[in-house]
Amino acid sequence: MTRTRQTVAGVRASARSFFRKPFNIVLLVVLPALSIQLYGISLAQFPKFEFFTTAASLATTGRITGAVFATGALAGVLGLFQIISARDADRRLSICGIPPRDLLISRFATLVGISVIIAAVSTGTLVVLLPDSVGAPVFAFVGLVLGSIIYAMLGILVGSVLPRELEGSLVLVILADMDNVLASGIFQIDQRITRFSPLSYPHDIVTQAVVDGTFAGEKVLPALSFVAVFGVLAVVTYSWTVEPVATGGEAA
Amino acid sequence: MRSRVTTAVTMGLREFRRTPVLLGLLAVLPVYYIGAFMYIVPDTSLPVTIDGESLRVPLADLIAALMTPLTAGLLAGIVGLFVMQSSKEADGRLRLAGFRSRELIVSRVSLLAAGGLLVSGVSLGVVLLGFTPASIPGFIAGTVLAALTYGVFGVIVGVSVDRLSGVYVMLFAPTVDVLLFQNPMATESPRWVTLLPGYFVTRATMDAAFTTGVDGIQFLGAVGYFAVLLLVGIVVFYRVTDVTQEK
């Protein structure tokens, strides 16, 4: 089997293991809708305090926050669980001679593919559920894709460093919840802090696309930097956990 | 019965002890979550109505008071979810080996309570460094009740859906419930939010945090909600581990 065919087979197998479970499909559709609505309703309950610094109404900001959070969280938790469940299988495959790099490529490609699908579902749901029309749905989709991929990489990274579901979930849930607060833009928070919030850039892109209908191009590079940093760290840690067996060493 | 329960609880606690990373995370994550939240909010105060009293409270204090039951509930819920998931098969086997359902239930609830107390203790420790509630015993009671309520909620979720879906539920449910829907800053809450697990317990905790008199009705409501949730959890647990049905 050629390297390309191996990778394609790996992507297909990983994607099939996700889509095989009907509940995953249900989550993919229901979770963004639920999150968008719940965040929209919950923020709409608050009066407009002077320290709220939202670009749009609280209901719209809530729905945007819900969309960004649901997209990131879905991809992140999926990345975490995929990498933890694939670890043993990948170790065995590396013993069988498949290079760890190929295994990694197929895992990453699957997650990026699913992340794009998640972002597409979230964009569609946001367009339907927002009371006002979305200024530029395509730009909102770009923002959501970035948020989704950042969190998919973060999920892989957390899963590689903490390869147990309970510990990994605890870390990812707390990071995602805190990141969502920082990114939401509800409070005026020092930029020296928010610049370290991975979701803040996708959130800004989506907000600008929804409210102004323009593209926040200056936010793309920082967002891609998060993808690159998390991606490189995830590759290094995941390779480290899989590779030793292939080279005859002790598994991590 | 007591020796079997003691054995099961001891084994469960030993399992906890064997995972120092988990214990470390349960100690560190509340520090990050609560500490960071208290640090980032603007230095301002706002008018809120708690238990019918109109008050003006610093935003950082309000957030500290809200984050304590939230963090305890969130972490206890995730622990409850995974305790249930990991013990599901073992408990089925223990039933076959002669353990009674009520022995298993008592041991699992004890284990959950231990986890809930741990995360409550850490969360309270962080918050009490920077915020003094009006009634410290009431505030502690509210936080522990939040941990227990969401711990049992996590157990029910853990029995009902798989781990991946369970983590999604726990990712959203406590935060949206406690931080957003039960937030005293909210003035136009829909009526259905009174049905959520965080309703009574958050009101009781806020009351203990900012008013001098502890509202017994809210505490009774929180205990009642916990009792009902526990009952549902026991029924669900009994069905999962009832080996006579596995034919």
Side-chain angles (χ1 to χ4, degrees), chain A residues 27-179:
Chain A
L27 278 174
L28 192 68
V29 176
V30 170
L31 210 63
L34 205 63
S35 175
I36 290 167
Q37 271 307 82
L38 283 178
Y39 272 88
I41 294 170
S42 60
L43 281 192
Q45 322 167 89
F46 294 113
K48 185 86 178 133
F49 289 108
E50 76 275 8
F51 51 80
F52 283 161
T53 55
T54 53
S57 70
L58 282 172
T60 300
T61 303
R63 287 192 170 86
I64 292 170
T65 304
V68 176
F69 183 56
T71 311
L74 260 168
V77 176
L78 191 66
L80 172 82
F81 275 71
Q82 277 256 327
I83 232 61
I84 291 174
S85 64
R87 203 173 144 107
D88 286 341
D90 282 357
R91 237 183 241 153
R92 280 186 222 110
L93 287 169
S94 81
I95 294 171
C96 293
I98 299 179
R101 199 182 58 189
D102 291 2
L103 293 168
L104 259 176
I105 290 170
S106 59
R107 298 289 173 209
F108 274 61
T110 309
L111 278 168
V112 169
I114 295 176
S115 297
V116 173
I117 295 172
I118 292 170
V121 172
S122 292
T123 309
T125 316
L126 187 65
V127 169
V128 172
L129 292 179
L130 265 184
D132 312 319
S133 63
V134 174
V138 176
F139 297 153
F141 171 69
V142 172
L144 290 172
V145 167
L146 284 168
S148 183
I149 295 177
I150 288 173
Y151 260 74
M153 296 299 140
L154 183 62
I156 296 175
L157 177 60
V158 173
S160 304
V161 176
L162 294 169
R164 280 164 51 98
E165 288 170 347
L166 172 54
E167 286 86 338
S169 302
L170 280 169
V171 170
L172 199 66
V173 167
I174 293 289
L175 286 179
D177 273 339
M178 193 68 221
D179 190 16

Side-chain angles (χ1 to χ4, degrees), chain B residues 164-189:
Chain B
L164 180 68
S165 317
V167 172
Y168 283 131
V169 173
M170 295 315 297
L171 188 68
F172 285 91
T175 311
V176 172
D177 178 14
V178 177
L179 191 63
L180 298 176
F181 282 124
Q182 314 303 344
N183 195 318
M185 285 158 64
T187 51
E188 291 168 35
S189 305

Side-chain angles (χ1 to χ4, degrees), chain B residues 90-181:
Chain B
D91 287 348
R93 277 188 229 113
L94 287 172
R95 278 292 307 269
L96 275 174
F99 266 73
R100 293 190 187 94
S101 274
R102 68 168 182 273
E103 292 170 335
L104 289 172
I105 286 165
V106 171
S107 60
R108 294 303 168 211
V109 170
S110 307
L111 209 58
L112 192 64
L117 285 174
L118 173 70
V119 293
S120 300
V122 177
S123 305
L124 284 162
V126 177
V127 165
L128 292 177
L129 285 176
F131 167 65
T132 308
S135 163
I136 293 179
F139 192 70
I140 292 172
T143 303
V144 172
L145 265 172
L148 293 177
T149 304
Y150 261 106
V152 176
F153 181 77
V155 167
I156 296 170
V157 171
V159 176
S160 312
V161 295
D162 69 6
R163 287 178 196 211
L164 180 68
S165 317
V167 172
Y168 283 131
V169 173
M170 295 315 297
L171 188 68
F172 285 91
T175 311
V176 172
D177 178 14
V178 177
L179 191 63
L180 298 176
F181 282 124

Side-chain angles (χ1 to χ4, degrees), chain A residues 206-224:
Chain A
V206 178
T207 303
Q208 200 168 314
V210 169
V211 179
D212 301 335
T214 55
F215 187 56
E218 72 282 3
K219 306 285 180 185
V220 174
L221 195 62
L224 287 175

